[in-house]
Amino acid sequence: MPANGNHPLKLQFGLINYEGRYLTAEAFGFKVNASASSLKKKQIWTLEQDSQDTQVVFLRSHLGRYLASDKDGNVTCEADGYNSDCRFLIVPQSDGRWALQSEQYLRFFGGSQDYLSCFAQIITDAELWAVHLALHPQANLLSVARKRYAHLSKEDGEIAVDVNIPWGVEALLTLVYLDGKYCLKTCDGRFLSSDGKLLKESGRATAYTLELKCGKLAFKDCEGKYLSPMGPTGTLRSGRCSKPGKDELFDLEESHPQVVLTAANGRYVSIRQGVSLAANQEDETDMETFQMEIHKDTKMCTFRTSQGNYWALVAHGGIQSTATEVSVNTMFSVEWLSHKVAIKASNGKYICIKKNGQLLAVSDSIGEDEQLTLKLINRPLLILRGENGFICHHKNSNTLDASRSVYDIFTLQFSNGAYHIKGIDGRFWYVNSAGLVCADGEAPEDLSVELLERGRLAIRGKNGKYLRGDQGGNLKGDGLSLSSSALWEY
């Protein structure tokens, strides 16, 4: 496993048939059809591979059931575990679409609307499916061969694949889905062209077809060649290969939040002076940036340095960046106090700042010296997905939709503990008197961002209420308590 300690993201996607409709798993009767025009929860499928035979795949629906075909070509999605009828082979086509073949009966899966079957002996247009990734589109990209991460190298004007840990905003890449193909967008809004150059506009040269091999991704350009890292810095560009080998394979990994902390003395928390943490620096570098890794079940958090070590509680309440593995003493809980945070160590004491800037976990309660300002640095481009879909500008009004299958990219700006969110047109989010979140503010409104769960955040308006998606798909700023409708993948 690479130094980031991450597992590759589970590949989730929608499958689009020749009529532009998505394969859908209905909750009622475990029926499948291809009627939906957009990618929502019922259209999301997870790819699982046979541990013995990586050619064989299983397609799991949002209900946790598996797609299956019997000898007569009847298709169901009822099986709650693997059986021989659930085993499929992916037959990739030159245009990036997939044909799905039953391993048992060697017939191909296809059709339209309610008439889906797995009985075709040859592949026609009706048996081809385009793949639309359903992952959150922002991630870190890991080269399988080099075991290094991709990042924007501004001085060279390229994406280089040469870092051990995906550190800072430069390592965040956004996958933009356009007409069945994908573009790779850097944190400064440019697109990767197949010749390795970064362009301001997307076009034919920046569009790639995604291919899957052994659970890894390959990016095929418009000439049928594949992206791979080239030369000593691993410049990402198309090579000469027209078949993906190890050099052309990548994993997408979850991008953890990276933060900078300011103490009550106005200085940044740092490891620049050695292993003991102290708030004594006036500028932000990698030494003042920490990666928050939130535990899925306990919601406790570890803080990781750019060298890959963890904060750890040591004797007498000291905090040092010496741990190489996660343990009880590397776990902290974060309490969100509007525009500040307090951090509690595993001894049950809050971290406070001493006169010399040293951080010690010795306080029983929260006062001024226990409060820190936390700034999220690696999401300048913000894409938010809730339980029913992405946040997007409403077509005909100044409000925001919270249940769309397409997303808008917003800008997140930090302002002294608060955040401002800005739309494509440069106008700001605010909560109006009716409790709706609007996106046409002339002046910014202070919002609070709380990193509460792994991969999910909550946002509060200046009224202290949570932003949530309502039943009608609107984004509202009236959530009195934290619920699943107020948590956003980011």
Side-chain angles (χ1 to χ4, degrees):
M1 197 180 295
N4 203 35
N6 271 352
H7 296 279
L9 289 166
K10 257 205 179 338
L11 287 176
Q12 294 187 313
F13 47 79
L15 289 170
I16 310 166
N17 74 353
Y18 68 110
E19 296 176 329
R21 301 288 170 160
Y22 286 83
L23 181 64
T24 303
E26 298 292 357
F28 179 72
F30 300 110
K31 289 187 164 53
V32 284
N33 62 54
S35 307
S37 58
S38 65
L39 180 64
K40 299 273 184 75
K41 191 174 174 181
K42 289 182 186 175
Q43 288 76 38
I44 292 178
W45 297 84
T46 305
L47 189 77
E48 296 180 0
Q49 287 184 301
D50 187 306
S51 52
Q52 262 69 56
D53 181 357
T54 54
Q55 296 304 304
V56 173
V57 298
F58 303 91
L59 293 167
R60 183 162 59 88
S61 75
H62 67 105
L63 300 164
R65 303 296 180 110
Y66 293 89
L67 193 71
S69 157
D70 67 13
K71 64 181 194 310
D72 299 319
N74 298 313
V75 174
T76 56
C77 194
E78 210 165 334
D80 54 9
Y82 298 162
N83 65 49
S84 57
D85 284 357
C86 303
R87 297 168 67 88
F88 287 91
L89 304 169
I90 295 172
V91 185
Q93 307 298 299
S94 58
D95 64 359
R97 287 189 292 176
W98 291 356
L100 291 167
Q101 186 178 30
S102 160
E103 189 206 32
Q104 178 100 322
Y105 308 110
L106 301 177
R107 301 294 178 100
F108 293 98
F109 170 57
S112 72
Q113 302 291 329
D114 291 326
Y115 303 104
L116 299 179
S117 66
C118 189
F119 207 60
Q121 290 177 301
I122 56 165
I123 301 169
T124 69
D125 222 28
E127 285 73 44
L128 291 176
W129 300 88
V131 183
H132 183 176
L133 276 190
L135 306 168
H136 189 282
Q138 290 176 307
N140 299 134
L141 190 68
L142 175 75
S143 161
V144 172
R146 296 204 178 198
K147 296 188 168 57
R148 295 286 186 277
Y149 290 92
H151 68 104
L152 168 66
S153 173
K154 275 193 176 142
E155 54 280 3
D156 300 320
E158 64 179 30
I159 293 178
V161 185
D162 63 352
V163 292
N164 288 327
I165 296 180
W167 207 255
V169 66
E170 287 80 17
L172 185 72
L173 291 171
T174 303
L175 283 168
V176 182
Y177 183 71
L178 282 170
D179 304 323
K181 291 188 165 35
Y182 284 85
C183 301
L184 284 169
K185 192 175 193 178
T186 56
C187 61
D188 62 358
R190 291 184 288 170
F191 296 93
L192 177 69
S193 173
S194 57
D195 61 4
K197 292 191 173 71
L198 296 172
L199 307 179
K200 287 204 166 68
E201 301 291 328
S202 60
R204 187 169 181 265
T206 65
Y208 303 93
T209 318
L210 276 193
E211 285 191 8
L212 234 81
K213 189 177 174 186
C214 307
K216 311 294 181 194
L217 291 175
F219 296 85
K220 185 165 75 169
D221 72 11
C222 56
E223 306 294 336
K225 306 292 189 225
Y226 291 84
L227 286 182
S228 70
M230 314 279 257
T233 61
T235 303
L236 195 57
R237 53 185 290 255
S238 290
R240 289 186 291 277
C241 290
S242 48
K243 273 199 175 146
K246 195 175 179 185
D247 284 340
E248 289 74 37
L249 296 181
F250 297 89
D251 269 327
L252 283 176
E253 288 187 1
E254 174 184 8
S255 168
H256 291 287
Q258 291 174 350
V259 301
V260 170
L261 296 156
T262 312
N265 63 1
R267 302 290 178 94
Y268 294 116
V269 174
S270 178
I271 53 165
R272 211 182 301 191
Q273 63 290 326
V275 293
S276 288
L277 284 155
N280 59 6
Q281 297 298 326
E282 291 185 2
D283 53 343
E284 293 175 34
T285 70
D286 284 353
M287 297 284 194
E288 290 72 46
T289 305
F290 304 100
Q291 179 160 288
M292 284 178 73
E293 298 176 11
I294 300 169
H295 192 277
K296 270 199 170 73
D297 303 320
T298 64
K299 313 288 189 282
M300 301 281 277
C301 173
T302 55
F303 289 91
R304 204 166 192 199
T305 70
S306 56
Q307 275 88 47
N309 290 342
Y310 296 98
W311 289 14
L313 175 70
V314 295
H316 312 300
I319 308 291
Q320 295 187 346
S321 60
T322 50
T324 53
E325 290 182 6
V326 173
S327 68
V328 171
N329 287 338
T330 65
M331 287 290 184
F332 297 85
S333 60
V334 179
E335 294 182 18
W336 300 88
L337 317 164
S338 185
H339 301 330
K340 304 262 188 190
V341 298
I343 301 173
K344 192 188 272 188
S346 57
N347 62 358
K349 307 280 188 184
Y350 291 101
I351 293 176
C352 71
I353 177 168
K354 292 298 173 196
K355 291 272 187 289
N356 63 358
Q358 194 182 359
L359 265 56
L360 292 175
V362 293
S363 297
D364 291 317
S365 59
I366 301 171
E368 195 178 325
D369 289 338
E370 288 73 31
Q371 295 187 39
L372 299 150
T373 303
L374 180 147
K375 175 166 85 164
L376 175 66
I377 63 134
N378 62 336
R379 288 296 184 282
L381 304 177
L382 191 66
I383 296 171
L384 295 172
R385 179 165 75 170
E387 57 181 357
N388 296 312
F390 289 102
I391 294 182
C392 201
H393 285 96
H394 193 282
K395 285 194 180 81
N396 308 313
S397 78
N398 63 345
T399 60
L400 292 159
D401 287 336
S403 61
R404 296 285 291 281
S405 61
V406 292
Y407 53 82
D408 280 336
I409 300 177
F410 299 96
T411 306
L412 185 69
Q413 297 175 335
F414 181 78
S415 173
N416 195 26
Y419 291 86
H420 305 146
I421 300 178
K422 201 161 72 167
I424 314 158
D425 54 5
R427 291 166 183 256
F428 293 95
W429 286 21
Y430 64 95
V431 181
N432 73 7
S433 55
L436 285 163
V437 181
C438 301
D440 62 345
E442 295 289 338
E445 181 168 303
D446 283 355
L447 304 167
S448 306
V449 170
E450 302 177 357
L451 310 174
L452 296 175
E453 291 189 5
R454 185 168 184 141
R456 286 181 170 79
L457 55 71
I459 302 171
R460 290 186 197 244
K462 72 173 183 192
N463 57 10
K465 294 177 180 171
Y466 287 106
L467 270 53
R468 66 177 186 94
D470 72 3
Q471 292 300 313
N474 303 300
L475 186 63
K476 300 191 85 169
D478 63 357
L480 296 172
S481 62
L482 190 68
S483 65
S484 59
S485 63
L487 284 169
W488 308 94
E489 279 181 70
Y490 63 97

